[in-house]
Amino acid sequence: MIQPINKDPLSLARKSVNATPADLQTGQDLLDTLRAHQQECVGMAANMIGVYKRIIAVNDDGRLLLMFNPEILRSTGRYHTEEGCLSLEGVRETDRFRSIKVRFWDADFSVRMKTFTGWTAQIIQHEIDHCNGVLI
């Protein structure tokens, strides 16, 4: 179900806790909400819909990818960039990495590891920051 976007900086700064299989509906709501905002948004974290669980959804080269409890294991190629966010006004400067290796659980709660590069890597880093209560 499409959920309203949380725009409250104080609540967005809360750290999220690990997701469990009981949070599968939140994952689906996150995907539905991202689809509804696909013209203006390429990724979302669950706290953007008011749920403080470590769940993100990202546009991975045209395919939506749902990740539970994502964790960056390795990162290379630091660069400086600017990013916007559907939950926050304006654009902010930040540092990102061109390549990241991420461990996460998929919608079947099977553990996965994958290396992401470029734009998809940047989106994932932004959404993991949301999970950690980091606002940029």
Side-chain angles (χ1 to χ4, degrees), residues 8-129:
D8 175 35
L10 289 177
S11 66
L12 290 167
R14 282 179 48 190
K15 287 186 179 179
S16 297
V17 298
N18 280 342
T20 69
D23 298 307
L24 288 172
Q25 184 58 53
T26 297
Q28 186 59 55
D29 291 349
L30 197 58
L31 287 172
D32 293 344
T33 306
L34 180 55
R35 276 188 199 98
H37 292 277
Q38 65 186 347
Q39 297 301 317
E40 59 201 330
C41 186
V42 292
M44 287 189 167
N47 67 352
M48 293 175 67
I49 61 169
V51 179
Y52 300 92
K53 296 292 183 114
R54 295 185 63 80
I55 308 168
I56 68 172
V58 299
N59 183 325
D60 181 17
D61 291 325
R63 182 179 70 89
L64 294 185
L65 176 62
L66 185 60
M67 305 170 90
F68 293 87
N69 305 318
E71 177 184 5
I72 297 173
L73 303 176
R74 186 181 62 219
S75 53
T76 59
R78 181 185 294 265
Y79 66 98
H80 192 74
T81 189
E82 293 181 336
E83 295 176 350
C85 181
L86 189 62
S87 288
L88 301 168
E89 294 289 324
V91 175
R92 292 159 182 77
E93 293 186 17
T94 188
D95 288 333
R96 294 290 181 219
F97 293 91
R98 295 190 192 290
S99 177
I100 58 173
K101 182 176 183 178
V102 181
R103 178 178 55 212
F104 62 97
W105 282 257
D106 63 17
D108 294 325
F109 262 80
S110 297
V111 69
R112 302 281 184 230
M113 278 195 250
K114 184 174 178 183
T115 298
F116 298 90
T117 59
W119 182 233
T120 301
Q122 184 174 338
I123 298 166
I124 292 169
Q125 290 168 82
H126 180 101
E127 302 314 331
I128 289 176
D129 277 353

